[in-house]
Amino acid sequence: MSPVRAVLFDRDGTLVHDVPYNAAPERVRPVEGAREALDALRARGIRTGVVTNQSGVARGLLTEADVRRVNKRVEELLGPFDVWAVCPHGPEDGCPCRKPRPGMILDAAGRLGADPADCVVVGDIGSDAEAACRAGAHAVLVPTPVTRPEETAAAPHVARDLSAAVRLVLDGPPWEAPDGAPALGLYAGAEHVRWASGRLPTGPDAAPPRTGRYL
């Protein structure tokens, strides 16, 4: 049985095809195998969630209501998630929640009553993997055409598609190398930030980002 309690997914480019700053629910298209992968997790009693940067709100390109409508359509197509965490801030806002900072991972895990160490974050770019590792969670990268080669090389674990990422979780995740050492990868060495105080980490130690995208 998988020791994982929850799997937290990036939304755009991971669960659904990426439409930059999408405000239109009718443009939501799940990636191949997404519903089946999620249902496999649910059937094993593993909680599911979404952690998504939506800086289009800060940029004035969409509203929080638009984001909620798109998220509702995602659930209509992929089934209900146990938790949603959305960062509406821009890259220059300095918030603790925007990936690659760990705030959304810590928040989602806390709302699920799960230790981040028992959670897996699945995403398509380096900021997803870095946020996971900084939160003390596990990370699986599912590369897409926008994933940079150095991000793939830096990720602790890589799967060719979403279905393979979920199989990795369900089949007994190899979170450690054969010799017992932690898995290799730049993000695997990221400093963990524990949310013991109930407050999101802020200030200069709240993770200056090493990666970025339009989101």
Side-chain angles (χ1 to χ4, degrees), residues 52-55 57 85-90 95 97-99 104 215:
T52 176
N53 288 351
Q54 294 296 325
S55 72
V57 175
V86 177
C87 173
H89 306 111
C95 70
C97 50
R98 178 179 166 82
K99 294 177 290 185
M104 281 196 292
L215 290 173

Side-chain angles (χ1 to χ4, degrees), residues 52-74:
T52 176
N53 288 351
Q54 294 296 325
S55 72
V57 175
R59 300 174 196 270
L61 300 174
L62 64 161
T63 67
E64 293 193 43
D66 291 330
V67 175
R68 289 193 294 270
R69 283 192 290 270
V70 170
N71 291 346
K72 180 180 178 181
R73 180 57 177 162
V74 172

Side-chain angles (χ1 to χ4, degrees), residues 53-188:
N53 288 351
Q54 294 296 325
S55 72
V57 175
R59 300 174 196 270
L61 300 174
L62 64 161
T63 67
E64 293 193 43
D66 291 330
V67 175
R68 289 193 294 270
R69 283 192 290 270
V70 170
N71 291 346
K72 180 180 178 181
R73 180 57 177 162
V74 172
E75 287 207 323
E76 290 172 353
L77 294 170
L78 298 180
F81 292 90
D82 297 296
V83 66
W84 283 83
V86 177
C87 173
H89 306 111
E92 308 305 322
D93 290 343
C95 70
C97 50
R98 178 179 166 82
K99 294 177 290 185
R101 293 180 172 91
M104 281 196 292
I105 312 302
L106 297 169
D107 174 56
R111 285 192 277 152
L112 292 173
D115 190 304
D118 297 326
C119 299
V120 180
V121 177
V122 179
D124 67 320
I125 61 175
S127 61
D128 299 313
E130 185 176 345
C133 293
R134 291 187 63 85
H138 302 287
V140 179
L141 189 74
V142 179
T144 68
V146 304
T147 311
R148 297 169 180 154
E150 60 268 29
E151 293 175 332
T152 302
H157 303 282
V158 178
R160 68 177 181 273
D161 55 31
L162 189 62
S163 297
V166 168
R167 285 196 300 273
L168 184 72
V169 172
L170 294 177
D171 292 345
W175 303 139
E176 294 189 344
D179 61 359
L184 299 177
L186 172 65
Y187 305 129

